[in-house]
Amino acid sequence: MAWLSNLFNFLALNVLRLFAFLPYTITVHVGYGLGWLAAHIPNSRSHVVKTNLRLCFPNLSEKEIDALALEHWKLFGRSVLERSRIWLGSGKQITDIVSINSEITLGDHKPRLLINPHFVGLEGGFMALSVLASQHDWPRGAGLYQNMKNPFFNQKMIEWRNRFGGKSIERQSRLRDLIREIQTGNFIFIAPDIDLGPRDSVFVPFFGIQTNTITSVSRLAKLSGAEVCLMTTTLNQDRKGYTCHIRKPLPNFPSDDVEKDTALLNRYIEELVQERPAEYYWVHKRFKHRPPGEASLYD
């Protein structure tokens, strides 16, 4: 019903506004509490998290899986509430909790694809870079997005992400528009580690499992001549904020073999996940689509 949907949108928006301006430590601790609750209340996503962890870490005991799943849920809950500050807070509020550590020169306007795997700090890195770009003569960031089912928050998120000069580009946009954006020197953020269905995808290994993976990174880099750099936003050791790491361009990438490139990118992401397993987005059905004849891994 429309009134119920409108009520939910009103309440959710005002909760975000509240946590955007509460002391940061309160946001963090309430987020941990929400994550703890989510881990202990039976729900379909809890099944997805543990299934993903069992598939990717078969050597862990069930007790270790439970502990890793709980830690993930706590960090996920924290990240959800932190987005209130990231989406609605000032530029200073964002850069106070997210710093940038770059191995490339951010102001040289070279065509680049920034590969941003799904870690809990993903939104913070994108927004912190947008804030700093607005303060310097840096390229603006353009992020690919998938439309949400909720049209109200779909539009709000586009507005929030673009408020420092960034640009949100729908994943289904025309290829030539994306290439033009890359060749202007703007950063293009791509999170390729999500199962978007069989279109423009191949099955390549991820943690030893044949995984439906988009090929757009290799194809866009080839067509545009862009460098491809890994970008991760991860918790600092003191757990009081995040650092967005932008690494040097991947060597010899892309090649003439799209499938080989896509498999290589999965290996790079897998290595990053192994370093920070609790911070990865295990709530996603990463192995949703299966090769022909294979049964679902989530039943």
Side-chain angles (χ1 to χ4, degrees):
M1 292 182 287
W3 71 268
L4 190 59
S5 176
N6 290 337
L7 177 61
F8 169 82
N9 291 338
F10 173 80
L11 293 174
L13 181 59
N14 281 283
V15 166
L16 286 173
R17 286 172 174 162
L18 172 65
F19 280 98
F21 299 102
L22 282 176
Y24 181 54
T25 53
I26 293 178
T27 299
V28 169
H29 285 97
V30 174
Y32 282 149
L34 290 176
W36 186 93
L37 282 175
H40 288 86
I41 296 174
N43 62 82
S44 61
R45 287 294 156 178
S46 288
H47 171 69
V48 170
V49 168
K50 289 191 177 181
T51 299
N52 284 335
L53 292 174
R54 291 185 189 110
L55 289 168
C56 295
F57 301 101
N59 295 328
L60 293 184
S61 67
E62 199 59 28
K63 185 176 181 181
E64 290 171 322
I65 292 290
D66 289 344
L68 184 54
L70 177 58
E71 179 65 11
H72 167 70
W73 274 113
K74 289 169 65 178
L75 293 176
F76 180 76
R78 169 182 174 168
S79 73
V80 169
L81 285 192
E82 282 175 325
R83 288 177 200 176
S84 60
R85 185 172 297 249
I86 289 165
W87 287 337
L88 297 171
S90 66
K92 184 177 185 304
Q93 283 181 295
I94 294 169
T95 55
D96 279 349
I97 61 172
V98 183
S99 58
I100 304 293
N101 178 11
S102 178
E103 297 177 15
I104 61 173
T105 303
L106 293 171
D108 61 9
H109 292 264
K110 281 188 177 181
R112 287 194 180 97
L113 302 179
L114 298 184
I115 307 309
N116 202 8
H118 280 82
F119 287 86
V120 294
L122 177 145
E123 288 283 341
F126 171 80
M127 291 299 294
L129 196 54
S130 294
V131 171
L132 292 177
S134 70
Q135 298 169 350
H136 301 83
D137 182 27
W138 292 358
R140 295 298 188 257
L144 301 187
Y145 74 93
Q146 187 79 4
N147 278 315
M148 298 173 61
K149 292 181 180 178
N150 184 320
F152 175 80
F153 273 104
N154 190 71
Q155 184 57 39
K156 283 292 182 186
M157 285 177 63
I158 292 171
E159 293 172 6
W160 295 336
R161 287 170 173 166
N162 295 356
R163 62 200 176 102
F164 295 105
K167 186 174 183 179
S168 296
I169 302 174
E170 194 174 352
R171 282 188 181 273
Q172 288 75 25
S173 297
R174 293 179 300 179
L175 189 60
R176 67 182 181 185
D177 292 338
L178 289 175
I179 294 171
R180 187 183 304 117
E181 194 72 34
I182 295 167
Q183 291 178 333
T184 62
N186 288 334
F187 300 124
I188 298 292
F189 299 90
I190 301 181
D193 55 332
I194 187 169
D195 190 336
L196 296 175
R199 183 180 176 184
D200 299 325
S201 300
V202 293
F203 281 97
V204 290
F206 183 63
F207 281 91
I209 302 160
Q210 290 297 310
T211 305
N212 189 64
T213 309
I214 60 172
T215 59
S216 55
V217 175
S218 176
R219 291 186 293 108
L220 278 173
K222 191 74 171 178
L223 290 169
S224 66
E227 296 178 340
V228 177
C229 304
L230 292 170
M231 170 178 165
T232 56
T233 305
T234 53
L235 273 171
N236 296 332
Q237 193 169 5
D238 62 8
R239 300 172 73 87
K240 293 181 180 178
Y242 297 82
T243 297
C244 173
H245 303 268
I246 303 173
R247 292 164 173 80
K248 293 179 181 178
L250 298 181
N252 305 313
F253 193 101
S255 70
D256 293 325
D257 188 330
V258 171
E259 185 168 337
K260 179 182 175 182
D261 289 344
T262 306
L264 178 61
L265 200 55
N266 268 4
R267 286 202 297 275
Y268 281 121
I269 294 173
E270 183 180 326
E271 290 172 2
L272 295 171
V273 173
Q274 288 173 327
E275 294 173 7
R276 304 270 187 154
E279 295 182 45
Y280 193 62
Y281 261 49
W282 300 111
V283 293
H284 285 165
K285 287 187 177 181
R286 186 66 189 93
F287 311 108
K288 181 178 180 179
H289 290 88
R290 306 307 309 139
E294 282 196 20
S296 171
L297 298 174
Y298 297 102
D299 290 341

